[in-house]
Amino acid sequence: MSYQIPRTFQKLSVTKLTNKFQEAVEFVTCKTKLPGPKEVLVRNRYIGINASDINFTAGRYDPTVKPPFDCGFEGVGEVVSVGESHQKDFQPGQAVGYMLNGAFAEYTLVPGRSILPLPDVRPEYVTLMVSGLTAAIALDKVGKVKSGETVLVTAAAGGTGQFAVQLAKLAGCHVIGTCSSQEKIDFLKSIGCDRPINYKTENLNEVLKTEYPRGLDVIYESVGGETFEICVNRLAVKGRLIIIGYIAGYESEIGFKPTRNATLPQK
């Protein structure tokens, strides 16, 4: 299969450091470059939008990087051109995914070592990368979840939360999940969550204190603020609190909401 590669393409470029994404980025037209010997040119069909994107455009992950720079952490598409070193590894038209900065573009040059071959091009595969791998690695390598343990997942109906719920359930755990609507309650039940909690209609701290007086063995936390404080106070002896995000504060100037527990989550 051969592709007619356009001379130019469009991408989002970060031109201003700010946590307001729409103010941070601009559409720019770029000249299309053919891949170097160890690169693959991918035409993006689906890209992943993550809460962390606004941390990146605000310059919080790498303060040394100055605008303009690329953004977008993950993409799924097809190979359109292959560098000399990877002629035997990839073919034009092949479905691939990747986790690499620069995905918010029509085309992305990706190092061959970063390419993930896929059966076909589908949006579902995007979710398996940043969101899915975050949950899998965090629960297995950091949380070390074991069968019979009680696991709390905050923002459980979100991108990575829904993976954490299912993985913890597959590990034989009792899974609690927080969310903000009845629709999400129903969704969490459908993926195996044992005790969904709508924090808008139930008091999260009181539910955990009353129904789980022994405490929680593992907490997969991504919200921050008051939710983080509740999680710290509801940990069981030798419990593990995994902080994978702090979305309650991402749109603030400093990126997090200060808590009574000082700077523990940031450390």
Side-chain angles (χ1 to χ4, degrees):
M1 181 182 296
S2 61
Y3 281 84
Q4 184 174 357
I5 301 173
R7 292 183 178 180
T8 62
F9 69 95
Q10 284 195 310
K11 70 177 182 179
L12 282 179
S13 179
V14 179
T15 58
K16 175 184 176 182
L17 293 180
T18 173
N19 57 0
K20 306 300 182 184
F21 188 82
Q22 289 184 323
E23 297 176 13
V25 300
E26 293 181 9
F27 272 111
V28 296
T29 299
C30 304
K31 182 179 179 180
T32 307
K33 296 181 179 179
L34 293 176
K38 297 182 179 181
E39 293 178 320
V40 175
L41 182 62
V42 177
R43 181 180 183 182
N44 294 313
R45 295 296 190 178
Y46 303 102
I47 56 173
I49 299 174
N50 296 279
S52 301
D53 290 325
I54 63 174
N55 282 334
F56 191 71
T57 61
R60 293 170 182 155
Y61 290 155
D62 186 355
T64 66
V65 176
K66 305 300 179 186
F69 55 85
D70 295 339
C71 55
F73 297 139
E74 56 189 341
V76 164
E78 66 255 352
V79 173
V80 295
S81 185
V82 183
E84 183 180 351
S85 298
H86 291 288
Q87 293 288 328
K88 295 182 179 180
D89 302 318
F90 308 109
Q91 301 297 322
Q94 182 177 353
V96 296
Y98 64 90
M99 292 180 289
L100 183 77
N101 184 41
F104 289 172
E106 292 179 296
Y107 294 84
T108 303
L109 280 173
V110 183
R113 67 178 183 276
S114 299
I115 292 287
L116 304 170
L118 298 173
D120 50 31
V121 176
R122 283 192 286 164
E124 289 86 350
Y125 293 128
V126 178
T127 67
L128 295 173
M129 293 187 286
V130 172
S131 293
L133 285 174
T134 296
I137 295 171
L139 291 175
D140 182 35
K141 303 301 181 183
V142 182
K144 300 185 184 300
V145 293
K146 299 184 291 291
S147 179
E149 291 189 316
T150 300
V151 176
L152 169 65
V153 179
T154 61
T160 190
Q162 59 186 280
F163 281 103
V165 167
Q166 294 174 83
L167 290 169
K169 193 63 182 174
L170 285 171
C173 301
H174 176 89
V175 183
I176 311 159
T178 70
C179 64
S180 60
S181 69
Q182 183 59 46
E183 182 182 8
K184 292 178 180 179
I185 288 282
D186 296 339
F187 169 69
L188 289 178
K189 289 179 178 178
S190 75
I191 62 173
C193 185
D194 298 291
R195 179 55 166 103
I197 301 172
N198 182 345
Y199 58 79
K200 290 189 175 181
T201 59
E202 295 186 272
N203 184 296
L204 175 60
N205 187 56
E206 288 303 315
V207 170
L208 296 176
K209 186 177 179 180
T210 302
E211 298 184 20
Y212 303 94
R214 188 186 65 82
L216 307 168
D217 299 301
V218 178
I219 302 175
Y220 189 79
E221 154 63 350
S222 63
V223 176
E226 182 182 357
T227 300
F228 169 77
E229 293 188 19
I230 292 171
C231 289
V232 171
N233 292 328
R234 299 274 72 85
L235 271 175
V237 175
K238 296 184 179 181
R240 288 87 73 198
L241 173 56
I242 308 168
I243 304 169
I244 59 97
Y246 215 63
I247 56 177
Y250 282 178
E251 292 187 346
S252 68
E253 289 302 315
I254 58 175
F256 63 91
K257 288 185 177 181
T259 70
R260 288 191 294 272
N261 292 296
T263 58
L264 177 60
Q266 289 71 53
K267 291 180 180 178

